[in-house]
């Protein structure tokens, strides 16, 4: 018995050392993520510098959208956003007058002034929406069928057709995915799309989830976010949330346009991300969210079963607590 235990000790020790090494690597990668955020992220409201380049765009976007959100409330305060307006006035001086951002800021400030002076909401900044117009077509049997088919029929394709991907379909998918929600309307995402076979294969060699089909991938997209458009300590993880939502909508839009896709996860080290950015000519201030193989679908292909969890397992409805019975109150 003792001899058999002795024989197991080296294996147990190796296992423990591997676990400890993994934990150390998690700490190291987390520290590197923190350093990237410290280096590239913008300052928060209280330390805003209107001359700070892309950081100025971050703050201006946050603030003009605060006006839009405020005026979309059922009962906006009046007056409101004095500090917001002051930051917009200070920051807009460094933005070219013909830039879209300058127009967004100017129209938002004008709408704020109108509201604070007269209590009138500007329809350009917070346009009134008709529920029937927004949901009417979707709630018809035909609209419901099309929407459900879009959301449930997409599959990860690992056997692409021989056709060439039409660039206009990818462009249109980006056009549709633009409407993905983002924190304070920052829209920090970007799509880098590669069709040159040498580039595609060089990128795929650095990703560890395309074995057995990568050589047949005709094009690949790298979805990134501009880290400079996130601000302060509270948004240290927001880029992964925003980038992930955009990537999902982008893939669904490609599916809507008849293209086949397969997500290629980028759960890699910071060193690997630096290597990929260098190869793919992506600026250092962009974080890689995920890769997406894009091609034309073959007439027939096999797809992984990928069973879904039961809806009941995923939904946790938290009902309000029962109202207290006044008759049960004790009397002193």
């Amino acid at each position: 018995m003792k001899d058999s235990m002795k024989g197991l000790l080296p294996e147990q020790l190796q296992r423990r050392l591997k676990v400890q090494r993994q934990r150390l690597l998690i700490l190291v990668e987390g520290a590197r993520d923190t350093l990237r955020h410290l280096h590239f992220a913008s300052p928060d409201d209280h330390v805003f510098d209107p001359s700070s380049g892309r950081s100025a765009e971050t703050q201006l976007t946050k603030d003009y959208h605060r006006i839009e959100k405020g005026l979309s409330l059922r009962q906006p305060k009046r007056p409101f956003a004095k500090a917001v307006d002051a930051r917009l006035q200070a920051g807009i001086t460094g933005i070219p007058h013909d830039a879209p951002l300058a127009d967004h800021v100017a129209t938002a400030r004008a709408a704020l002034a109108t509201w604070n002076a007269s209590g009138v909401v500007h329809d350009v900044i917070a346009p009134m929406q008709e529920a029937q117009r927004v949901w009417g077509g979707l709630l018809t049997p035909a609209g419901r069928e099309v929407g459900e088919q879009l959301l449930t029929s997409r599959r990860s394709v690992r056997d692409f057709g021989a056709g060439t991907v039409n660039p206009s379909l990818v462009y249109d998918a980006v056009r549709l995915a633009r409407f993905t929600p983002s924190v304070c309307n920052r829209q920090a995402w970007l799509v880098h799309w590669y069709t040159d076979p040498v580039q595609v294969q060089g990128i795929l060699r650095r990703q560890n989830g395309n074995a057995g089909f990568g050589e047949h991938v005709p094009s690949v997209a790298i979805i990134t976010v501009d880290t400079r458009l996130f601000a302060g300590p509270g948004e240290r993880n927001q880029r992964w949330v925003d980038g992930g939502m955009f990537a999902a909508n982008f893939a669904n839009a490609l599916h809507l346009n008849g293209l086949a896709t397969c997500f290629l996860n980028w759960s890699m080290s910071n060193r690997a991300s630096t290597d990929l950015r260098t190869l793919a000519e992506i600026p250092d201030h962009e974080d890689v969210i995920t890769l997406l193989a894009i091609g034309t679908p073959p007439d027939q292909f096999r797809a992984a079963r990928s069973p879904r969890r039961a809806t009941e397992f995923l939904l946790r409805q938290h009902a309000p607590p029962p109202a207290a019975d006044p008759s049960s109150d004790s009397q002193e």
Side-chain angles (χ1 to χ4, degrees):
M1 183 67 176
K2 290 182 178 180
D3 291 340
S4 61
M5 288 296 293
K6 289 180 180 179
L8 289 174
L9 283 177
E11 184 178 345
Q12 291 176 346
L13 181 59
Q14 289 178 20
R15 188 180 298 113
R16 289 178 182 176
L17 289 174
K18 288 180 180 178
V19 170
Q20 294 304 319
R21 182 176 182 274
Q22 287 295 311
R23 289 177 175 174
L24 179 60
L25 288 175
I26 291 172
L27 290 173
V28 169
E29 292 300 326
R32 288 174 175 167
D33 290 340
T34 299
L35 291 173
R36 281 185 58 80
H37 189 65
L38 283 171
H39 182 68
F40 290 116
S42 301
D44 217 337
D45 300 352
H46 305 296
V47 287
F48 170 52
D49 178 3
S51 64
S52 54
R54 202 68 197 265
S55 295
E57 178 184 341
T58 301
Q59 186 63 53
L60 290 169
T61 303
K62 288 172 64 177
D63 278 336
Y64 84 66
H65 191 56
R66 282 173 169 139
I67 296 173
E68 295 173 340
K69 291 188 294 183
L71 293 179
S72 69
L73 298 177
R74 180 180 294 184
Q75 294 180 321
K77 293 181 179 180
R78 180 169 171 249
F80 82 101
K82 181 179 179 179
V84 167
D85 189 54
R87 285 195 300 267
L88 289 173
Q89 184 178 16
I92 198 60
T93 56
I95 304 298
H97 293 297
D98 57 349
L101 179 60
D103 180 66
H104 300 334
V105 170
T107 51
R109 291 190 68 209
L112 177 65
T114 299
W115 168 257
N116 285 339
S118 63
V120 175
V121 176
H122 200 299
D123 285 337
V124 171
I125 300 304
M128 186 66 70
Q129 304 289 322
E130 297 292 336
Q132 177 59 33
R133 184 174 181 182
V134 175
W135 284 281
L138 297 174
L139 297 181
T140 63
R144 170 73 187 193
E145 182 179 357
V146 171
E148 187 164 326
Q149 182 181 3
L150 171 65
L151 295 176
T152 61
S153 64
R154 186 200 158 272
R155 294 290 184 272
S156 290
V157 177
R158 297 175 176 86
D159 182 14
F160 295 95
T164 301
V165 176
N166 187 335
S168 67
L169 298 179
V170 177
Y171 181 92
D172 186 65
V174 174
R175 179 187 67 84
L176 294 173
R178 291 180 307 145
F179 294 92
T180 302
S182 64
V183 61
C184 290
N185 199 37
R186 231 72 59 78
Q187 303 177 56
W189 43 68
L190 299 100
V191 177
H192 299 265
W193 184 43
Y194 306 85
T195 58
D196 176 72
V198 175
Q199 273 189 312
V200 170
Q201 292 306 310
I203 291 168
L204 293 179
R205 278 195 298 271
R206 287 158 173 80
Q207 196 274 339
N208 59 11
N210 62 88
F213 73 98
E215 63 270 21
H216 305 302
V217 172
S219 73
V220 65
I222 302 176
I223 293 91
T224 69
V225 293
D226 189 335
T227 308
R228 299 172 300 175
L229 290 174
F230 299 90
E235 292 182 358
R236 65 193 183 280
N237 297 320
Q238 189 65 40
R239 58 192 186 273
W240 312 112
V241 177
D242 285 15
M245 291 195 300
F246 174 84
N249 277 349
F250 178 50
N252 280 332
L254 291 168
H255 179 58
L256 177 67
N257 287 346
L259 294 175
T261 60
C262 183
F263 274 105
L264 305 171
N265 82 80
W266 189 252
S267 301
M268 304 291 281
S269 68
N270 280 274
R271 180 177 295 179
S273 293
T274 298
D275 178 50
L276 179 65
R277 282 192 292 265
T278 301
L279 172 75
E281 300 178 333
I282 295 173
D284 193 40
H285 56 255
E286 294 180 29
D287 276 308
V288 178
I289 302 299
T290 190
L291 278 61
L292 193 66
I294 305 172
T296 58
D299 292 336
Q300 288 185 316
F301 63 95
R302 292 190 181 276
R305 181 181 59 169
S306 301
R308 304 290 96 182
R309 296 184 187 272
T311 305
E312 294 77 9
F313 181 85
L314 301 175
L315 178 63
R316 298 290 187 272
Q317 182 175 357
H318 297 261
D325 183 359
S327 63
S328 64
D329 292 346
S330 60
Q331 301 294 325
E332 294 293 336

